[in-house]
Amino acid sequence: MSLGRAEGARKETSLGRAERWRQEASLGKAARALTAAGFALLLLGSCTGRGGAPASGSPTDDADRFAYERYESPVTLRIPHQYSDIQLPEGDTSENNFLTRYLTKMTGITIRYAWEAPNDAQYASKMDLSIRSGDLPDAFVANRAQFLELARSGQLADLTDIYGQYASTLVKSLYGSTGGKALKEASLNGRLYGFPNVAIEADEPTYLWVRQDWLDRLGLPAPQSLQDIASIAKAFRSADFDGDGKADTAGIPVDRSLVYDEKTGNNGLNGVFAAFGAFPKRWIRGSDGKPVYGSVQPEAKRALSLLAEWYKDGVLDEQFMLRQDAQDLVAENKTGLFFGPWWAPYYPLSKSISDDTKAEWQVYAAPENDQGAFVTGTSPVTDRYLVVRSGYAHPEAALKLLNTFTRMERNLDPNAPALIALTDQLGTQLRNYYPFDLLLDRPDAVITRHDRLVQALNGEIQPGQLDAETKQLYDSAVTERESPRKNLEAWSATQAYLLGGAVSKTKMEKVQSLFVDPTSTMTEKWAALQKLEQETYAKIITGELPLSAFDTFVEQWNAQGGDRIMAEVAVSVRAKA
């Protein structure tokens, strides 16, 4: 049982599915038709060093000798694979493609897929089945509940010594940037049983993205309050921006999950609830300091009252419960405002400007609460773990792969530009081809890169002083300045880090979320309680149930196990303090 929401209902935040449009505007049919042989030739020149030997790209520091050392004898690693909008050259397969071959060449590890899943929800379901059947892959990514179950039952390899010997200095520095919190979350009784992902703090808040050109045409002021947002939505709905003689602009898109729990994404209503001091699907501290579940607090009822009014007035998309993907409205420029994180320019805004080159988007830290503060929750330091089954002969193999593609992701592998060029031609991104969906970065990465990027663009520092990743952003910003909107990759990166990075620096009132481990009653009752909550919230918003149904829901929630869960969570939180 996973406490997280069904990840398949989102994950714009993984940027896998989100960025399928990143290069589409500039792709030609010839690029898509490149053969596997052509890709092999392109890689040959960049992935070999002097004398034809593989160029490791690893630091000369002896501390990284084991991290990047290639196996002399081949090692096979059987893993599950979650794929996301990958494009494959002719002759390649998801298991045998240009990146898996590169990883094998660099590490000596042959990757075999135990099974595959197209999204997070199906991955989690198949992983649960593998756990129940006792047929564990050699290494795999587990969620929090799966990790704890397997670690406590002795089914995971102890990775404490493996980490000390084989983790690269880069990986160690990224974990170190969390102050030890990430590794602590992956430990049990002082021993390390997984390599956790690292959450970026800026990923948590959701902001209001607005078609600024529409706002200016109507002479409307920048949005701040909930009332401002409603007024803008109504004005946009009444306007005829596309000139077809119809007032057919949609209201604010809403993801059918309504709110996100551990991590946010596009079209969630988290910001609206937060303006009322409400945090559905989150555990927070109540006025007495004890943990409470945000979905059953009176502040949530106040937010639902407004949302029901918004739905009735057309402020919200009236068809949101029927849409397969709420982002289509933004991508097709059928709406002019939506709630989304800092990275929304990657998707859906890259598709929006591809569809309408005149579209101008701006982001605002809105809505503010009645006191004029922008309120947000906090995200967990980690929520996924790369683990190895107990008994596998080469547990360090998983870490060697993590070392290698983390170096690629951080743009420190000298072969990365060639690999990125290939995926650019395919209209996707390199991370979509990684064997594990587990990315590492520093918690303050977005704001730090924003500041350094702005300094370089303003001439305050030289581009050569930038780290590899920020230098790449700088090059994208220069490209965008010289040829606006001619390169979707350059536009997306520029807008995400300049606009999204700037709004991430907004002074915020952060309400600490408590990320609790599953309790005994949760294991038995949580799925039914989540279903009750989701259905009640949706029916109140759409008017199928009156607002008074919230009180009935709270009574049912407590009676069906919620009160026991609340007590168990209080004990669990005290124990972890």
Side-chain angles (χ1 to χ4, degrees):
M1 186 279 303
S2 171
L3 290 187
R5 62 185 155 73
E7 295 275 314
R10 60 153 177 107
K11 170 88 164 117
E12 303 94 15
T13 55
S14 70
L15 296 185
R17 183 168 75 81
E19 292 190 14
R20 57 184 166 182
W21 298 101
R22 287 176 61 183
Q23 297 292 335
E24 183 162 298
S26 60
L27 293 178
K29 293 182 179 179
R32 291 185 179 274
L34 284 175
T35 64
F39 275 80
L41 288 173
L42 284 170
L43 279 175
L44 186 61
S46 61
C47 297
T48 57
R50 294 177 181 177
S56 69
S58 61
T60 57
D61 191 333
D62 190 58
D64 276 330
R65 180 165 64 89
F66 294 112
Y68 298 109
E69 187 175 46
R70 192 179 192 275
Y71 285 107
E72 292 184 4
S73 300
V75 168
T76 298
L77 187 69
R78 180 173 167 268
I79 65 174
H81 179 229
Q82 181 179 326
Y83 57 90
S84 175
D85 291 316
I86 60 173
Q87 299 290 330
L88 294 168
E90 184 180 342
D92 274 10
T93 67
S94 60
E95 185 180 72
N96 181 10
N97 58 63
F98 61 91
L99 184 60
T100 59
R101 289 192 295 272
Y102 174 73
L103 292 173
T104 298
K105 187 170 189 176
M106 303 304 292
T107 65
I109 301 169
T110 299
I111 298 167
R112 292 288 179 261
Y113 291 151
W115 44 262
E116 296 188 86
N119 55 50
D120 290 340
Q122 291 191 36
Y123 178 92
S125 178
K126 286 190 173 186
M127 197 65 251
D128 284 337
L129 180 60
S130 291
I131 293 171
R132 289 196 300 271
S133 66
D135 182 20
L136 294 179
D138 296 331
F140 51 95
V141 174
N143 61 32
R144 180 68 179 170
Q146 294 164 344
F147 168 76
L148 289 173
E149 176 185 347
L150 293 169
R152 287 168 176 167
S153 61
Q155 297 183 67
L156 298 183
D158 185 331
L159 302 171
T160 310
D161 296 335
I162 296 295
Y163 176 79
Q165 182 175 1
Y166 291 95
S168 68
T169 53
L170 172 62
V171 166
K172 287 179 177 177
S173 72
L174 293 174
Y175 284 140
S177 68
T178 70
K181 294 178 182 178
L183 291 179
K184 182 179 179 181
E185 288 294 310
S187 300
L188 197 65
N189 299 323
R191 305 298 293 179
L192 184 69
Y193 288 96
F195 306 120
N197 70 326
V198 176
I200 297 176
E201 293 172 352
D203 283 349
E204 170 60 25
T206 53
Y207 307 104
L208 184 70
W209 290 86
V210 181
R211 274 288 296 260
Q212 188 65 38
D213 53 325
W214 291 3
L215 200 69
D216 292 342
R217 281 174 61 180
L218 298 180
L220 297 174
Q224 292 180 293
S225 66
L226 289 162
Q227 182 56 52
D228 293 339
I229 294 172
S231 298
I232 291 170
K234 291 176 182 178
F236 282 4
R237 291 213 63 188
S238 300
D240 180 22
F241 294 113
D242 56 10
D244 65 356
K246 302 176 182 177
D248 52 5
T249 304
I252 299 172
V254 180
D255 188 275
R256 284 186 295 183
S257 63
L258 302 179
V259 294
Y260 294 109
D261 55 4
E262 292 186 353
K263 287 189 177 180
T264 52
N266 286 325
N267 307 309
L269 296 171
N270 298 60
V272 176
F273 279 94
F276 287 92
F279 299 90
K281 300 185 182 179
R282 298 288 183 102
W283 291 89
I284 59 174
R285 292 194 182 277
S287 57
D288 60 358
K290 296 180 180 179
V292 296
Y293 187 56
S295 298
V296 296
Q297 303 309 305
E299 293 84 1
K301 181 178 180 181
R302 293 174 55 213
L304 285 170
S305 176
L306 176 70
L307 290 168
E309 179 183 326
W310 276 13
Y311 181 84
K312 181 179 179 181
D313 293 344
V315 172
L316 301 181
D317 171 32
E318 297 164 328
Q319 302 297 319
F320 81 85
M321 288 299 296
L322 303 176
R323 294 193 191 279
Q324 287 297 109
D325 191 345
Q327 297 189 108
D328 290 343
L329 289 174
V330 180
E332 298 169 9
N333 291 294
K334 294 180 179 178
T335 188
L337 68 173
F338 71 100
F339 296 108
W342 71 273
W343 49 256
Y346 285 109
Y347 195 85
L349 296 186
S350 59
K351 185 60 176 68
S352 167
I353 67 143
S354 176
D355 182 74
D356 180 0
T357 57
K358 296 180 180 179
E360 295 285 350
W361 290 89
Q362 184 55 265
V363 61
Y364 297 93
E368 297 174 351
N369 64 14
D370 290 342
Q371 290 73 46
F374 179 73
V375 185
T376 183
T378 58
S379 58
V381 66
T382 181
D383 66 347
R384 297 193 306 282
Y385 310 82
L386 174 59
V387 299
V388 181
R389 67 171 175 83
S390 179
Y392 176 62
H394 296 281
E396 75 283 349
L399 181 53
K400 281 178 171 285
L401 286 175
L402 181 62
N403 290 335
T404 302
F405 68 73
T406 298
R407 185 176 56 183
M408 291 183 204
E409 184 67 15
R410 301 278 68 85
N411 204 30
L412 295 173
D413 185 336
N415 299 315
L419 294 164
I420 292 171
L422 302 185
T423 53
D424 281 351
Q425 291 183 67
L426 290 169
T428 183
Q429 57 177 343
L430 187 59
R431 71 181 63 178
N432 290 15
Y433 299 83
Y434 295 164
F436 301 111
D437 179 19
L438 192 102
L439 300 181
L440 306 183
D441 208 337
R442 289 175 172 78
D444 63 351
V446 173
I447 290 175
T448 300
R449 289 184 195 127
H450 164 84
D451 289 348
R452 297 284 286 173
L453 175 60
V454 170
Q455 288 176 326
L457 290 172
N458 291 341
E460 298 170 14
I461 59 175
Q462 294 300 312
Q465 296 176 257
L466 300 172
D467 62 86
E469 291 171 274
T470 312
K471 176 58 166 60
Q472 191 174 42
L473 289 172
Y474 173 82
D475 292 340
S476 293
V478 171
T479 297
E480 175 62 19
R481 281 184 174 183
E482 294 175 348
S483 302
R485 306 193 176 203
K486 300 298 183 183
N487 182 315
L488 280 184
E489 164 67 15
W491 184 89
S492 298
T494 298
Q495 299 304 301
Y497 277 93
L498 291 181
L499 295 182
V503 77
S504 297
K505 298 178 67 176
T506 301
K507 184 179 179 180
M508 305 176 193
E509 182 179 309
K510 295 183 178 181
V511 175
Q512 189 71 33
S513 300
L514 303 174
F515 300 98
V516 302
D517 293 336
T519 69
S520 57
T521 306
M522 277 182 175
T523 303
E524 179 185 357
K525 302 286 188 179
W526 196 248
L529 290 175
Q530 284 186 313
K531 181 180 179 182
L532 173 65
E533 174 185 334
Q534 185 70 22
E535 291 178 351
T536 302
Y537 270 48
K539 289 180 179 180
I540 290 175
I541 291 173
T542 58
E544 189 174 341
L545 287 176
L547 184 62
S548 59
F550 178 84
D551 301 319
T552 303
F553 154 68
V554 173
E555 293 174 0
Q556 292 176 323
W557 189 87
N558 283 308
Q560 294 177 23
D563 54 353
R564 278 188 288 157
I565 291 173
M566 198 93 73
E568 291 170 353
V569 167
V571 174
S572 175
V573 169
R574 284 199 302 270
K576 291 181 69 175

